[in-house]
Amino acid sequence: MKKNIKNSIWTVAIAIASFAMPLVACSSDDNEESVIRTEDSLQEETRLFARGYSMLPTGLSEGDVYEVFNEDDIEWFDINTRELRFHDMKEPLYEKLRLLSGVEFRLGDLTLFSGSTFVGLICSQFFDDLVLCCGKIDGGVVDDGHYYLYDCYPPQFIDDERVQANRAKRAEQWEIFTKYLESKGKLRK
């Protein structure tokens, strides 16, 4: 008899835990969405910054995260060309980030863009998601001293189905990113 009661208690406990876990997961998704929706009322202590992390075996341990730049380093962002212009930094961005490093853009505790990759003009891979690119080629002229946030790399694949799907997924984060930079006087249109 005691064994049946013990088994019944365990069965009820497992059933309650099984029922509660999906509710917690749904609740966390709802909270994340509400954070994004309430970003219009950003507080002063919220700061924009980007972190880099190693995705390849390098001198850094895989998964090491470090700040690459913050909003004070940004001079402006041009919404049309997607150029992200920096003030003179002690250590240039291309020295802080190794090619193919991961880049995560954050606004306080909110992750705006994650899974982005740092690429340069020498990169021969195709990326169907957001990249921070050092340089561009425009009409045969190489400009390797500036940085651009592209939806893919190389940018001529912008009409690719996967690129468009990833771009659509980030639309709300782009709006938060640009509104924040505009509120700081760092957005060019």
Side-chain angles (χ1 to χ4, degrees):
M1 178 84 169
K2 282 186 178 183
K3 193 172 187 175
N4 286 342
I5 292 173
K6 201 181 220 181
N7 286 342
S8 296
I9 291 172
W10 276 110
T11 304
V12 169
I14 291 170
I16 289 171
S18 298
F19 179 75
M21 288 177 101
L23 291 178
V24 169
C26 289
S27 171
S28 124
D29 291 344
D30 292 344
N31 288 339
E32 186 176 328
E33 256 184 57
S34 68
V35 168
I36 291 173
R37 287 193 186 120
T38 60
E39 283 306 310
D40 291 335
S41 58
L42 294 170
Q43 299 174 355
E44 276 304 309
E45 66 269 1
T46 301
R47 297 187 43 80
L48 177 68
F49 62 98
R51 301 188 305 187
Y53 54 92
S54 177
M55 296 192 313
L56 301 171
T58 62
L60 296 172
S61 299
E62 189 172 343
D64 279 353
V65 178
Y66 55 96
E67 186 172 302
V68 179
F69 63 85
N70 63 52
E71 66 185 56
D72 295 334
D73 298 317
I74 298 172
E75 188 174 336
W76 47 258
F77 175 71
D78 187 317
I79 200 158
N80 298 309
T81 64
R82 295 280 188 91
E83 182 178 358
L84 186 59
R85 177 71 58 96
F86 296 97
H87 296 289
D88 288 332
M89 295 165 57
K90 292 177 186 171
E91 184 181 8
L93 195 58
Y94 62 83
E95 289 180 11
K96 289 183 178 183
L97 281 168
R98 290 186 172 85
L99 285 179
L100 305 180
S101 291
V103 184
E104 177 184 65
F105 289 78
R106 298 185 59 88
L107 187 57
D109 292 335
L110 176 68
T111 301
L112 292 175
F113 310 123
S114 65
S116 305
T117 306
F118 180 64
V119 299
L121 297 177
I122 62 168
C123 191
S124 61
Q125 289 179 284
F126 169 69
F127 294 91
D128 63 5
D129 211 347
L130 191 67
V131 296
L132 176 59
C133 183
C134 181
K136 76 173 184 173
I137 300 175
D138 191 14
V141 178
V142 175
D143 166 21
D144 60 0
H146 299 106
Y147 299 90
Y148 300 86
L149 279 174
Y150 291 137
D151 288 310
C152 63
Y153 184 83
Q156 61 262 35
F157 290 102
I158 191 68
D159 294 327
D160 181 85
E161 210 173 278
R162 292 170 296 178
V163 172
Q164 290 300 313
N166 288 331
R167 187 176 184 180
K169 282 192 294 190
R170 286 191 309 275
E172 201 168 353
Q173 287 81 6
W174 266 110
E175 186 175 342
I176 293 168
F177 178 73
T178 55
K179 279 184 178 182
Y180 184 79
L181 289 175
E182 186 172 39
S183 76
K184 297 294 182 176
K186 297 181 182 230
L187 187 68
R188 285 191 171 182
K189 294 182 181 182

Short mmCIF file of all heavy atoms in Angstrom, two decimals, residues 121 135-143 150 153:
data_model
loop_
_atom_site.label_atom_id
_atom_site.label_comp_id
_atom_site.label_asym_id
_atom_site.label_seq_id
_atom_site.Cartn_x
_atom_site.Cartn_y
_atom_site.Cartn_z
N LEU A 121 36.76 42.01 -46.80
CA LEU A 121 36.63 41.84 -48.25
C LEU A 121 37.35 40.61 -48.78
O LEU A 121 37.06 40.14 -49.87
CB LEU A 121 37.14 43.09 -48.97
CG LEU A 121 36.35 44.36 -48.67
CD1 LEU A 121 36.98 45.56 -49.37
CD2 LEU A 121 34.90 44.21 -49.08
N GLY A 135 35.00 47.17 -44.82
CA GLY A 135 35.25 47.53 -46.21
C GLY A 135 34.09 47.22 -47.14
O GLY A 135 33.15 46.52 -46.78
N LYS A 136 34.18 47.81 -48.32
CA LYS A 136 33.22 47.53 -49.39
C LYS A 136 33.87 47.84 -50.72
O LYS A 136 34.88 48.55 -50.79
CB LYS A 136 31.93 48.34 -49.22
CG LYS A 136 32.04 49.80 -49.60
CD LYS A 136 30.68 50.47 -49.57
CE LYS A 136 30.79 51.89 -50.05
NZ LYS A 136 29.52 52.54 -50.21
N ILE A 137 33.31 47.28 -51.77
CA ILE A 137 33.76 47.58 -53.13
C ILE A 137 32.61 48.26 -53.82
O ILE A 137 31.51 47.72 -53.92
CB ILE A 137 34.17 46.29 -53.88
CG1 ILE A 137 35.32 45.59 -53.14
CG2 ILE A 137 34.56 46.63 -55.31
CD1 ILE A 137 35.71 44.26 -53.74
N ASP A 138 32.86 49.46 -54.29
CA ASP A 138 31.81 50.25 -54.94
C ASP A 138 32.32 50.72 -56.30
O ASP A 138 33.23 51.55 -56.36
CB ASP A 138 31.42 51.43 -54.06
CG ASP A 138 30.16 52.13 -54.55
OD1 ASP A 138 29.44 51.56 -55.40
OD2 ASP A 138 29.90 53.25 -54.07
N GLY A 139 31.78 50.17 -57.37
CA GLY A 139 32.19 50.55 -58.72
C GLY A 139 33.66 50.25 -58.98
O GLY A 139 34.33 51.01 -59.66
N GLY A 140 34.17 49.17 -58.42
CA GLY A 140 35.56 48.79 -58.62
C GLY A 140 36.52 49.46 -57.66
O GLY A 140 37.71 49.16 -57.67
N VAL A 141 36.01 50.39 -56.85
CA VAL A 141 36.87 51.08 -55.88
C VAL A 141 36.75 50.38 -54.53
O VAL A 141 35.66 50.15 -54.03
CB VAL A 141 36.44 52.57 -55.74
CG1 VAL A 141 37.28 53.28 -54.69
CG2 VAL A 141 36.53 53.27 -57.08
N VAL A 142 37.91 50.02 -53.97
CA VAL A 142 37.93 49.33 -52.68
C VAL A 142 38.02 50.37 -51.56
O VAL A 142 38.86 51.25 -51.57
CB VAL A 142 39.14 48.37 -52.59
CG1 VAL A 142 39.24 47.74 -51.22
CG2 VAL A 142 39.05 47.31 -53.67
N ASP A 143 37.11 50.25 -50.61
CA ASP A 143 37.09 51.09 -49.43
C ASP A 143 37.21 50.17 -48.22
O ASP A 143 36.24 49.58 -47.80
CB ASP A 143 35.77 51.89 -49.38
CG ASP A 143 35.51 52.53 -48.03
OD1 ASP A 143 36.47 52.72 -47.27
OD2 ASP A 143 34.34 52.82 -47.74
N TYR A 150 25.69 44.67 -43.00
CA TYR A 150 24.98 44.12 -44.16
C TYR A 150 24.08 42.97 -43.72
O TYR A 150 24.40 42.23 -42.80
CB TYR A 150 25.95 43.60 -45.21
CG TYR A 150 26.75 44.67 -45.92
CD1 TYR A 150 28.11 44.49 -46.17
CD2 TYR A 150 26.16 45.84 -46.37
CE1 TYR A 150 28.85 45.44 -46.84
CE2 TYR A 150 26.89 46.80 -47.05
CZ TYR A 150 28.24 46.60 -47.28
OH TYR A 150 28.97 47.55 -47.94
N TYR A 153 26.50 38.53 -46.79
CA TYR A 153 27.79 38.78 -47.43
C TYR A 153 28.04 37.67 -48.44
O TYR A 153 27.85 36.50 -48.11
CB TYR A 153 28.93 38.80 -46.41
CG TYR A 153 30.25 39.15 -47.06
CD1 TYR A 153 30.58 40.48 -47.28
CD2 TYR A 153 31.11 38.16 -47.50
CE1 TYR A 153 31.76 40.80 -47.92
CE2 TYR A 153 32.29 38.47 -48.14
CZ TYR A 153 32.61 39.79 -48.34
OH TYR A 153 33.77 40.13 -48.98
#
